[in-house]
Amino acid sequence: MTIKPRPKILWLTNLPAPYRFPIWARIARDLDLKVAFLSKKKNWRNWPVPENVSWDYHYFSFNSLRLKEFDFIPSIRGSKRILKGADVVIVGGWESPIYWRIHQLARKKNIPIIQFYESTQASHRFNNILVRKIRSTVMSNANFIVTIGTESAKAVEAMGITNEKIITLFNPVDVSWFHSYAQSHRIQQSTGHSFIYVGQLIERKNVASVIRAFAAIRNEFDTLTIAGVGPLEQSLIELVKDNGLSGSVSFVGHQNQEALAELYARSNTLILASTNEVWGLVVNEALASGLHVIVSDLCGVSDFIKDMEGAYICTTSVESISLKMHESRRNHTGAIKDPEILKYTPERFAEQLLSTI
């Protein structure tokens, strides 16, 4: 694509994901960046309004229809106005009408489109004929499609998109920050192995299997910390009681980034045994913090980190999870000093994206 030396970039997305902030900061060093958030400032993820950032932003503050983990935003109000002056548009979703409208307007104005697509074939929430048609049309309209991991790339290929249009990147977090925080806040444990789960307490996260696996392999001073909230919280608390684990398992609720980093610094092994996970950014955070990680083969991140030090790949069964928990505990000799994940920074992600622009 041919554009100005310092183009104006419009990035549309639903919410201000904090893990995207370093990416946007790096892009804003070279380009004029404006990020537009479709949702309201007060959102279900409790993500804060950006402060003291180097990029411009705008809230559409649309109402949304929440369907489990899916936000459907029916409005297209303000599409023409927000697109005015943009030289490139980066679209963070495809499932709401405003994204379709932006595609339509951008093509009419010959504005290049970079479309993000993070789902896999297994994670498609809706897959009827109409949805498949809309999804494939949106992908076909884009100049390039950024996928997160090999499985989301395969999902795009299955829509008939040529490989030349697909850019597959490693989904990043601010790994340097997590690494530095863990180094300065590390707490050495004299007894027991500290396992941790971080995420929503919902069915697909498979937390009940993690608890059962912990019950199967627990030694006297081992602990399991569960950080997150969700509709299954009470049933999981009951499961802990039924297995006689109340003294070893703690529920600590939702944690902000600093509090979560402190939990990592006190832990030895993270477990993410989801039955369906597009990526799993907590794995990046935990590895950067020097932890072992146990990750199901149905998490997108598993394919990328499977050969890294401290990574154990399991299935979603209790037996497989418990086996990897046992192996991690047996092989653990302290925090990993130089995790390979530190190479996969938001800045590297942004620079790969900039090379496309």
Side-chain angles (χ1 to χ4, degrees), residues 81-303:
R81 185 174 67 254
I82 199 71
L83 197 57
K84 189 175 181 180
D87 296 303
V88 176
V89 59
I90 299 174
V91 184
W94 67 270
E95 66 287 332
S96 291
I98 190 168
Y99 292 133
W100 315 337
R101 179 61 172 159
I102 288 291
H103 266 262
Q104 182 186 47
L105 293 172
R107 283 178 61 82
K108 189 178 291 186
K109 294 174 178 289
N110 293 317
I111 299 172
I113 303 164
I114 298 175
Q115 175 70 49
F116 267 66
Y117 190 81
E118 302 182 34
S119 295
T120 66
Q121 289 174 292
S123 69
H124 289 162
R125 301 180 186 93
F126 308 101
N127 210 23
N128 60 45
I129 293 174
L130 177 61
V131 170
R132 290 201 302 269
K133 177 65 176 175
I134 293 171
R135 186 165 51 214
S136 62
T137 299
V138 169
M139 299 305 139
S140 298
N141 284 342
N143 296 76
F144 291 100
I145 301 162
V146 174
T147 61
I148 304 302
T150 54
E151 290 304 312
S152 61
K154 289 177 184 177
V156 173
E157 289 173 6
M159 300 175 205
I161 307 300
T162 60
N163 284 328
E164 290 75 16
K165 291 178 64 173
I166 302 172
I167 303 163
T168 302
L169 301 180
F170 186 106
N171 208 9
V173 299
D174 194 348
V175 286
S176 297
W177 184 89
F178 278 97
H179 183 66
S180 297
Y181 194 99
Q183 283 188 314
S184 60
H185 291 76
R186 184 87 62 207
I187 295 176
Q188 298 295 333
Q189 290 179 257
S190 57
T191 56
H193 193 89
S194 177
F195 296 96
I196 184 171
Y197 163 81
V198 177
Q200 298 177 76
L201 306 183
I202 56 178
E203 197 67 41
R204 70 173 176 83
K205 295 290 188 174
N206 202 25
V207 185
S209 293
V210 173
I211 292 170
R212 292 187 177 101
F214 176 71
I217 62 92
R218 176 179 63 112
N219 287 339
E220 183 180 359
F221 296 107
D222 291 346
T223 60
L224 170 62
T225 300
I226 297 176
V229 295
L232 297 185
E233 183 171 0
Q234 192 54 48
S235 66
L236 294 172
I237 290 172
E238 292 299 323
L239 179 63
V240 166
K241 290 179 181 177
D242 292 344
N243 281 272
L245 300 173
S246 296
S248 302
V249 178
S250 56
F251 290 80
V252 297
H254 174 76
Q255 303 288 302
N256 62 30
Q257 181 169 301
E258 190 165 312
L260 182 57
E262 191 161 337
L263 285 176
Y264 289 143
R266 297 177 178 180
S267 303
N268 304 128
T269 302
L270 173 96
I271 309 166
L272 185 68
S274 305
T275 59
N276 185 352
E277 194 77 52
V278 170
W279 185 263
L281 288 170
V282 294
V283 174
N284 302 44
E285 296 169 355
L287 282 171
S289 301
L291 275 68
H292 284 192
V293 294
I294 297 168
V295 186
S296 85
D297 54 6
L298 297 180
C299 297
V301 67
S302 65
D303 191 49

